Amino acid sequence: MTSSHRRGPRTADVSSAVESAAEVLTALWDRTQQTSRTRVSPSQMQALAIVERHGQINLNGLAAELDAIPSSASRLCDRLQAAGLLTRAASVHNRREVMLALTRDGRALLAEIGRNRHQALARILADMSPDGREALLTGLSEFNDAVRSAGADEPWEQHA
């Protein structure tokens, strides 16, 4: 263990503070999502974000990323399609494969929610001192690096 890991707050204290901040951030995310013109559930929002990240994804790929069974993902997509946020089409490579893509309204909804989140975060960050914002940025950057360095393993899984 390096000396930089021995000094400073105890890991348990930092874990508690991060957990508390994550709960507040999750509530903020939920509130900003509910301010949009089109209401979607958290699972629908997650599905839209996954489709956006991929551009197009097949139903089985979406189900895998949602950690859901394909029939549940299909019902979720039924609701998103009925709301005009998602399209389904047969793959050009395999007609039995269903490909999912966002509609213009789906992209607009994600952009609107993203703007709402950005504005809400900016208001909160403006209340912090410049030193506090700098420390937060440094800490979050190190946190992201630590998560990435975990590689293929999920950092929340216990290792033998």
Side-chain angles (χ1 to χ4, degrees), residues 41-117:
S41 70
S43 58
Q44 290 172 325
M45 185 65 190
Q46 184 181 12
L48 290 172
I50 290 168
V51 174
E52 179 185 46
R53 189 172 60 248
H54 288 276
Q56 274 195 338
I57 188 171
N58 67 29
L59 185 60
N60 288 333
L62 177 64
E65 288 207 35
L66 290 171
D67 197 24
I69 59 175
S71 61
S72 294
S74 182
R75 285 190 300 276
L76 182 70
C77 291
D78 288 342
R79 292 187 294 277
L80 291 169
Q81 186 176 14
L85 303 172
L86 188 74
T87 62
R88 296 185 205 205
S91 168
V92 294
H93 304 294
N94 179 350
R95 307 280 292 142
R96 294 182 306 183
E97 183 177 53
V98 176
M99 298 302 293
L100 308 167
L102 295 180
T103 63
R104 184 181 40 151
D105 288 345
R107 287 188 302 276
L109 175 65
L110 289 177
E112 176 189 356
I113 291 170
R115 282 189 307 275
N116 292 347
R117 287 177 176 171

Side-chain angles (χ1 to χ4, degrees), residues 13 23 25 29 50 52 58 98 100 111 113 119 122 134 140 155:
D13 294 337
E23 288 173 3
L25 190 57
W29 252 225
I50 290 168
E52 179 185 46
N58 67 29
V98 176
L100 308 167
I113 291 170
Q119 291 169 355
E134 183 67 32
L140 289 173

Side-chain angles (χ1 to χ4, degrees), residues 14-24:
V14 175
S15 293
S16 293
V18 169
E19 184 177 6
S20 177
E23 288 173 3
V24 170

Side-chain angles (χ1 to χ4, degrees), residues 110-129:
L110 289 177
E112 176 189 356
I113 291 170
R115 282 189 307 275
N116 292 347
R117 287 177 176 171
H118 184 81
Q119 291 169 355
L121 283 172
R123 284 190 301 270
I124 292 167
L125 292 169
D127 287 340
M128 294 176 64
S129 70

